[in-house]
Amino acid sequence: MRGRGEQLRRLLLPFLPEKKQGKKIRFVAVEPTACPTLTKGLYRYDYGDTAKMAPIVKMYTLGHTFVPPGIHAGGLRYHGDAPLLCLVYDEGYVEAIAYAQNPVFEAAMLFARTEGIIRPRKRPTPSAQPSMKP
């Protein structure tokens, strides 16, 4: 499964034991303000899809009937996050922050123009771009 915090999960899990032992490591989940699941959602059991066909799992969710504004273009338009990411966020091992998509995309364009680096992907991944803000 892709999205819903899967990239962050892959990055943080190898370092989580060290953080639990007290090492100063900062994990920050970045999400769009149009789909603020961690920063505005509730930690509860919810369906994984709007049709109520997927299993019910505990996650930070905006509700399975949530539909983001039509203008939202960055990343997935999903109402919840990966259950494992939600658990470590709920336990305080991960911070979360939400950014509006236009300033994030502008920062990504500035980075690409300045550094000449474009990350090839089939779909945009704005979650990594706020770290590149000037």
Side-chain angles (χ1 to χ4, degrees):
M1 176 170 284
R2 302 285 301 178
R4 301 184 316 140
E6 291 295 313
Q7 293 176 4
L8 181 62
R9 178 189 61 84
R10 286 188 203 115
L11 287 171
L12 74 84
L13 283 183
F15 302 99
L16 191 57
E18 294 176 53
K19 182 161 178 84
K20 284 185 171 185
Q21 292 174 354
K23 188 169 183 180
K24 288 193 167 213
I25 303 172
R26 186 175 179 211
F27 301 123
V28 182
V30 179
E31 61 187 6
T33 55
C35 294
T37 50
L38 291 174
T39 55
K40 302 276 185 185
L42 300 175
Y43 192 46
R44 63 181 179 87
Y45 286 92
D46 196 5
Y47 291 98
D49 63 346
T50 57
K52 300 182 185 177
M53 299 293 287
I56 297 172
V57 294
K58 192 166 187 183
M59 64 177 144
Y60 275 89
T61 177
L62 299 170
H64 63 275
T65 59
F66 172 79
V67 177
I71 192 71
H72 176 64
L76 296 176
R77 300 165 59 94
Y78 190 68
H79 67 276
D81 278 316
L84 190 53
L85 171 61
C86 293
L87 176 64
V88 294
Y89 175 72
D90 191 63
E91 291 179 350
Y93 294 110
V94 176
E95 302 170 42
I97 189 164
Y99 284 103
Q101 70 179 1
N102 287 347
V104 170
F105 289 151
E106 289 168 9
M109 291 297 296
L110 176 62
F111 179 82
R113 287 186 187 117
T114 304
E115 299 296 328
I117 298 171
I118 299 175
R119 182 177 178 205
R121 296 232 0 141
K122 292 181 181 177
R123 62 178 174 79
T125 307
S127 58
Q129 307 307 334
S131 61
M132 301 172 192
K133 291 178 86 168

